[in-house]
Amino acid sequence: MMNKLMMLIALFFSIGIMAQDKLYVTGKITGIDNKTKLSISGGEKEKEFYLKDGVIDVEVDLKEAPTSVFITVFYDKTIKYTSFFLGNEDVTIEASIDDFPNEVVAKNSKYDGLRYENYSLSKDLDKKRNDIDEIIEKEIGEGAKPEVVYAKYKDELDAIRKENAGRQYEFLKKHINTDYGRNLIRFYVDQFTLEQFKTLYSLVDPINMDRSEIKFLKTLCDSKQLEVGDIYYDFTTLDLKSKVVKFSDFFKEKYVLLDFSHVNCGYCYMAAPKTALIAEELKDKVMYVTYHTGDNLKEAEEYYELKGKKGNIIWNKEGYLHPAMAMYRSMMTPTYLLFNSEGKLVKEVNGYKADLKSIILEEIEK
């Protein structure tokens, strides 16, 4: 009888532990009043709320947990935000609005302490980079040519980027078997070497091999970053009718432009009208393919509308962890890869400011 009673008690507590299906945030944020709107979001979930005399008391159910969670404050005609890495758990936040965006940590979280440790690891480099960015912005504002200013500080920025990548690699070697560590992999697809990816994979515990982030890492290990002259990587994905298509299907004796973009990327949003014109004006010479990097059809459709329904849109349900994102080392949006009719990479362009049409025509007319 006693054994059965103990089993029932254990079952009761285990069900209680498993029943936590929402993120519950309490605490205090000073420096804003009760009329200031805030929002909390994680994945596709977003909820607006207000403080009560500085006290935060809000809950949200996360679609996938743990995940990145953002608290946005619509403050004094500006927007301030801070991010965390949280699960469906009870956490406490004690902060001032002046601590946003980085000097805020969720107490009692199973996950966020590691996220804050990682931030602290590179905060000095973040400051150096921000200081240089401010100088660049100031010099351009005073009339200097952007290309001249960027070239002037390129070596300093490259050195900072290299140092940060080194620190992140060492951090990942220690934490590759944690939820937060695995979450970081996709942010460094274009910064680690093939050998570094293979070393990280060798450190993965067997129990984690079936996780989507580790499968993504395995793809990184099995592919190399494309260089000019290399043949494209083929992959399967979905069109706007959710029909499975292959990237190779778009190679029909024309050049193919592969455009990695997302509707919620500000630069992609600004680039869309221009790239829509390119898709239309060069349609006899170039097959324009936009790979929408999100994980749902609705957002892909929204971006297609933004592009005036020009060109082709493909997407997938795995989002940033789809194998194609690993094979193409896609991190920055928008990124444009131009392949010739034989499938060889002839040009890569990053960012929206470049004169993409002229670059394409120059390559075609060589």
Side-chain angles (χ1 to χ4, degrees):
M1 182 69 179
M2 182 60 68
N3 287 340
K4 289 183 178 181
L5 179 60
M6 293 300 293
M7 288 176 64
L8 287 173
I9 292 173
L11 179 61
F12 172 80
F13 280 109
S14 67
I15 291 174
I17 292 171
M18 294 172 63
Q20 175 98 10
D21 59 356
K22 291 185 178 182
L23 167 64
Y24 187 36
V25 183
T26 57
K28 198 162 188 175
I29 300 176
T30 60
I32 55 177
D33 58 31
N34 295 344
K35 296 180 180 180
T36 301
K37 184 175 74 173
L38 299 90
S39 72
I40 183 169
S41 60
E44 296 179 358
K45 301 291 184 180
E46 183 172 4
K47 184 175 184 179
E48 293 183 356
F49 66 98
Y50 294 84
L51 303 183
K52 297 179 180 178
D53 298 325
V55 174
I56 180 173
D57 189 339
V58 64
E59 65 179 20
V60 61
D61 54 323
L62 302 176
K63 177 184 176 182
E64 295 181 3
T67 188
S68 295
V69 174
F70 299 86
I71 290 183
T72 305
V73 182
F74 301 87
Y75 170 74
D76 193 25
K77 298 182 181 180
T78 62
I79 294 177
K80 288 193 171 186
Y81 75 94
T82 188
S83 62
F84 308 91
F85 191 73
L86 303 171
N88 285 314
E89 53 185 339
D90 296 347
V91 302
T92 303
I93 295 173
E94 300 286 346
S96 162
I97 189 63
D98 294 330
D99 295 327
F100 282 49
N102 296 317
E103 295 298 332
V104 187
V105 63
K107 299 178 181 177
N108 306 319
S109 172
K110 178 181 177 182
Y111 311 98
D112 198 53
L114 198 57
R115 189 273 314 168
Y116 188 76
E117 178 186 332
N118 180 251
Y119 152 69
S120 300
L121 184 69
S122 299
K123 63 188 297 186
D124 61 321
L125 297 178
D126 291 338
K127 185 178 185 308
K128 288 181 181 179
R129 183 170 53 243
N130 290 336
D131 288 345
I132 294 174
D133 287 343
E134 288 180 5
I135 294 171
I136 290 174
E137 186 176 343
K138 181 175 182 291
E139 292 187 8
I140 292 175
E142 292 173 347
K145 292 183 178 180
E147 59 270 24
V148 174
V149 178
Y150 285 119
K152 180 180 177 181
Y153 295 100
K154 181 180 183 301
D155 289 344
E156 286 184 71
L157 290 171
D158 285 348
I160 292 172
R161 186 172 183 264
K162 183 177 180 180
E163 174 64 22
N164 183 60
R167 294 184 190 182
Q168 294 298 323
Y169 174 62
E170 293 301 321
F171 180 88
L172 268 174
K173 282 167 61 177
K174 296 178 182 178
H175 301 292
I176 190 64
N177 290 297
T178 65
D179 290 293
Y180 182 68
R182 288 188 294 271
N183 177 70
L184 285 180
I185 294 170
R186 67 184 180 89
F187 294 103
Y188 293 95
V189 296
D190 59 343
Q191 296 187 44
F192 295 162
T193 66
L194 186 60
E195 289 306 313
Q196 286 176 318
F197 286 128
K198 289 180 178 180
T199 297
L200 290 174
Y201 188 75
S202 72
L203 297 173
V204 176
D205 288 342
I207 195 173
N208 292 322
M209 286 297 180
D210 286 335
R211 293 182 179 271
S212 55
E213 299 94 335
I214 301 306
K215 291 180 178 180
F216 182 85
L217 175 59
K218 183 64 168 62
T219 303
L220 289 169
C221 294
D222 293 341
S223 59
K224 72 177 188 70
Q225 190 157 8
L226 286 181
E227 298 178 355
V228 171
D230 289 341
I231 295 291
Y232 68 89
Y233 287 118
D234 202 6
F235 58 91
T236 56
T237 184
L238 302 173
D239 63 15
L240 290 180
K241 295 181 180 179
S242 294
K243 177 184 175 182
V244 176
V245 295
K246 296 177 68 175
F247 181 50
S248 54
D249 294 339
F250 294 102
F251 284 85
K252 299 176 180 178
E253 299 182 353
K254 295 182 183 180
Y255 278 71
V256 174
L257 185 69
L258 180 58
D259 162 10
F260 288 95
S261 290
H262 193 286
V263 69
N264 292 329
C265 160
Y267 295 132
C268 302
Y269 193 96
M270 288 185 281
K274 296 178 182 179
T275 57
L277 288 175
I278 293 173
E280 180 65 20
E281 293 174 358
L282 301 183
K283 62 183 179 182
D284 293 335
K285 299 179 179 179
V286 179
M287 183 71 73
Y288 198 117
V289 183
T290 297
Y291 187 115
H292 190 270
T293 58
D295 62 359
N296 67 83
L297 175 60
K298 182 180 178 182
E299 289 183 339
E301 290 174 334
E302 289 175 1
Y303 198 63
Y304 191 48
E305 291 287 339
L306 191 63
K307 289 176 67 71
K309 296 184 178 180
K310 304 298 182 182
N312 303 275
I313 295 277
I314 55 177
W315 67 287
N316 68 81
K317 296 178 181 179
E318 296 169 86
Y320 288 108
L321 292 178
H322 189 274
M325 303 294 283
M327 289 187 290
Y328 284 92
R329 303 298 196 263
S330 178
M331 179 61 199
M332 179 186 295
T333 54
T335 291
Y336 309 97
L337 301 175
L338 182 64
F339 298 90
N340 65 19
S341 58
E342 296 175 348
K344 292 182 179 181
L345 178 65
V346 295
K347 193 72 175 181
E348 177 176 346
V349 180
N350 295 307
Y352 79 104
K353 293 184 178 180
D355 186 351
L356 185 61
K357 182 180 177 180
S358 295
I359 292 172
I360 293 172
L361 288 174
E362 182 180 346
E363 291 296 331
I364 291 176
E365 294 169 0
K366 280 184 177 180

